[in-house]
Amino acid sequence: MIETLPGELEGLAVELRAACAAEIDGRTVGHFNDRPWLREAFLEVPREHFVPDQVWWPTPRGDGLHHVIDRRERPRAWLKGVYRSRASLITQVADGTVRPEDGPTDEPFTSAVSCSAVVVDMLHYLDAGPDDTALEIGTGSGYSTALLAHRVCPENLVSIEIDEELADRARQALADLGLHPTVVAGDGEAGHPARAPYTRIISTAAVREIPQAWLDQAAPGAVIVTPLYGPFGHDGLLRLIADGHGGGQGRLVTGVAFMKTRGQRRTDRSFADLGWPTVDGPWPAYADALYQVTVQDGHQRIHIS
């Protein structure tokens, strides 16, 4: 069981959560807009419940290292970090071979509690309803799962996490709040065929190419939301509508930054082979161009207009 906050910090957590929601309210596209259930869930779910006592801060200090924030040493600073709307909190480094007690590090991040604003925005574009069957790739801390569990019936929500220790921790954290979606340990790129088809699929890890298993397990008209890594140096948030026959079509809606799935961290394939066009000059902003993504017969193509 995850330790609860001491009484003197509970009130601060409520205040910070409300302030974070108010900040997100200021975003006029995506996020809470037209999703009242999502704002209600955000205010109800204690984000701090899903954050370990020790996390690495995502921005390096002057020495180039990412330092650890320890709740036991600096509880108020830790809690304020939890509710920074644009701050992700690093919970795993180098697949767990580096521990928080090892101190500051410059090793690669491999899991995090994603920043509040991005979690909310992704769930906005997923647009899940009470009758949907949903698959989440990358349970991580379980925070995004908890928000989604306030919209999708627990018996219709499956979340898969490749790291068994993280899966166990998230499952317990969710259960502590009375939430009981199915949390399984496994490779999310393979999906979870036992409960397919799904009408909503969301990934909290970036991919270079949409795994075919997701499309094969998607019902006709299913919405798939995932960060898609591109040649512009960051991820585009893809909202894809599946055709129910192993393909789909959609568009990139905004820019994000996520860790990649373990199976797609490295690749010898070129961006051209992954379906990206060649662009003369800078890549156009999402607001100025339509990045259309099509997957058909196992081939991914991106067209810019």
Side-chain angles (χ1 to χ4, degrees):
M1 179 177 293
I2 297 175
E3 183 181 353
T4 58
L5 285 177
E8 65 269 19
L9 291 181
E10 287 184 357
L12 177 60
V14 172
E15 291 176 10
L16 291 172
R17 195 177 312 135
C20 187
E23 183 179 339
I24 296 174
D25 281 336
R27 302 175 186 275
T28 57
V29 177
H31 299 88
F32 291 140
N33 292 282
D34 301 318
R35 305 286 188 271
W37 74 265
L38 185 52
R39 193 180 195 281
E40 292 171 7
F42 185 89
L43 291 174
E44 184 172 339
V45 174
R47 178 174 164 87
E48 67 275 10
H49 178 73
F50 295 92
V51 179
D53 284 348
Q54 295 176 306
V55 293
W56 289 272
W57 191 248
T59 305
R61 293 185 181 174
D63 57 6
L65 300 178
H66 298 270
H67 287 245
V68 175
I69 300 177
D70 193 323
R71 185 180 87 162
R72 294 162 296 189
E73 295 178 358
R74 302 176 61 200
R76 297 180 70 87
W78 175 90
L79 191 57
K80 289 178 180 178
V82 168
Y83 284 106
R84 286 273 295 273
S85 70
R86 299 297 299 181
S88 58
L89 302 171
I90 311 306
T91 57
Q92 188 189 74
V93 171
D95 293 327
T97 59
V98 176
R99 295 287 185 176
E101 53 265 30
D102 298 329
T105 184
D106 60 359
E107 292 294 315
F109 307 150
T110 49
S111 192
V113 184
S114 298
C115 60
S116 302
V118 171
V119 171
V120 167
D121 207 26
M122 291 180 69
L123 291 174
H124 170 96
Y125 286 109
L126 186 69
D127 194 18
D131 297 327
D132 279 310
T133 54
L135 173 66
E136 179 186 50
I137 313 299
T139 316
S141 69
Y143 175 64
S144 178
T145 320
L147 294 176
L148 190 54
H150 278 70
R151 183 64 166 173
V152 176
C153 296
E155 59 268 24
N156 292 334
L157 175 57
V158 178
S159 186
I160 185 166
E161 168 58 50
I162 197 168
D163 187 295
E164 188 168 355
E165 181 179 340
L166 290 178
D168 290 344
R169 186 180 187 281
R171 188 184 301 108
Q172 184 60 61
L174 289 160
D176 288 346
L177 297 181
L179 302 172
H180 300 280
T182 300
V183 178
V184 295
D187 186 351
E189 285 193 54
H192 190 65
R195 298 277 288 275
Y198 301 98
T199 58
R200 293 291 186 275
I201 298 176
I202 184 170
S203 176
T204 65
V207 293
R208 300 176 190 270
E209 185 174 32
I210 309 303
Q212 188 59 46
W214 299 358
L215 291 159
D216 291 340
Q217 294 171 32
V223 176
I224 299 175
V225 172
T226 182
L228 181 68
Y229 182 67
F232 26 63
H234 64 267
D235 308 317
L237 185 62
L238 171 63
R239 188 177 194 268
L240 190 79
I241 307 300
D243 61 16
H245 302 287
Q249 189 172 72
R251 66 184 182 95
L252 302 183
V253 294
T254 188
V256 291
F258 275 83
M259 302 163 201
K260 296 179 186 67
T261 60
R262 291 188 185 182
Q264 297 197 28
R265 286 179 187 167
R266 299 179 179 86
T267 180
D268 295 328
R269 299 177 64 187
S270 66
F271 281 112
D273 189 39
L274 291 169
W276 287 90
T278 300
V279 173
D280 294 327
W283 290 87
Y286 299 107
D288 299 331
L290 174 63
Y291 285 79
Q292 184 169 298
V293 180
T294 301
V295 183
Q296 189 172 17
D297 299 325
H299 297 287
Q300 174 177 286
R301 292 289 180 266
I302 295 89
H303 176 74
I304 304 174
S305 59

